[in-house]
Amino acid sequence: MNVHFNKDEYFPHQWDFLTSKKTINGLCGGFGSGKTHVFLRKTLYNLLTKRKEGGKSNGWIIYPTLMLADELFVEPFKELLESVNLKYKYNQSTHKFITPIGSVKIYQLQRPQRIIGSELTFIGFDEFDVESWKNCDMAFKKAIGRMRGIDNPEIYIVTSPEGFKYTHKIFVT
């Protein structure tokens, strides 16, 4: 599968986020800064490139609520997969995309105790700082513990600026 990401179609901060090779990446921006747009593409990029030895990736996407995930991620991600001709099945009851090259499962940040199991190749958090410090702390620590599916896994976070919350702890302090 040959998918091309064109630098001219992104703001500089989006391109830097999309192409970063760091293990943990973050993008904090206000309304209209393109967080959701680049989050969807970062998920596709990781689905394509963060594969285990068997050739498949295994990723999680974590939203504050499943309702927010349905609104911001599910339909736009379906459209993105269709635009690159990547076949998929979406199981609404398990909140999981399955493709020939890997899977993406959606969890909710409000219930981080349910984030269990799996060796993952990538994890993305969207609107991370709208949730409580306690839930962010538990989810982030669980995410780090599951990043063992490949040599170069990635955790990526996009969020609105909500003050000195958990994203500030990760990237500043």
Side-chain angles (χ1 to χ4, degrees):
M1 164 155 284
N2 188 12
V3 176
H4 180 71
F5 294 89
N6 185 351
K7 184 177 182 177
D8 296 336
E9 296 173 2
Y10 297 90
F11 293 123
H13 66 277
Q14 291 175 310
W15 186 253
D16 291 345
F17 177 76
L18 181 65
T19 60
S20 175
K21 302 295 183 209
K22 294 178 183 174
T23 303
I24 302 174
N25 289 287
L27 176 61
C28 184
F31 181 77
S33 64
K35 297 181 305 289
T36 300
H37 178 82
V38 76
F39 184 81
L40 290 159
R41 279 135 190 92
K42 183 74 156 177
T43 302
L44 174 61
Y45 179 80
N46 283 333
L47 181 65
L48 294 167
T49 63
K50 303 284 185 186
R51 298 192 205 184
K52 297 180 185 183
E53 281 185 29
K56 294 198 176 190
S57 59
N58 186 24
W60 286 353
I61 300 303
I62 303 174
Y63 273 84
T65 65
L66 291 174
M67 189 164 63
L68 191 59
D70 284 341
E71 181 182 328
L72 298 177
F73 186 80
V74 174
E75 290 306 317
F77 196 63
K78 286 178 182 179
E79 291 171 10
L80 185 57
L81 293 174
E82 290 166 7
S83 76
V84 298
N85 296 315
L86 182 57
K87 294 185 186 307
Y88 69 90
K89 289 182 183 177
Y90 179 65
N91 184 322
Q92 190 170 0
S93 64
T94 62
H95 310 285
K96 188 173 188 175
F97 283 90
I98 299 171
T99 75
I101 59 170
S103 63
V104 178
K105 180 155 175 55
I106 302 169
Y107 281 92
Q108 59 183 334
L109 196 50
Q110 287 185 340
R111 296 193 177 138
Q113 65 276 10
R114 292 187 179 177
I115 301 171
I116 56 173
S118 294
E119 287 188 354
L120 301 173
T121 58
F122 65 92
I123 298 176
F125 291 93
D126 194 358
E127 291 301 347
F128 191 55
D129 275 346
V130 302
E131 189 51 53
S132 72
W133 182 282
K134 178 183 171 186
N135 286 352
C136 289
D137 184 55
M138 182 184 294
F140 188 73
K141 288 175 180 172
K142 285 178 171 253
I144 288 174
R146 275 133 192 91
M147 302 308 295
R148 55 186 186 259
I150 56 173
D151 291 337
N152 62 339
E154 181 180 6
I155 297 173
Y156 52 105
I157 298 167
V158 299
T159 192
S160 301
E162 301 288 340
F164 300 106
K165 293 199 170 186
Y166 207 83
T167 301
H168 183 267
K169 176 189 183 228
I170 295 168
F171 293 102
V172 179
T173 61

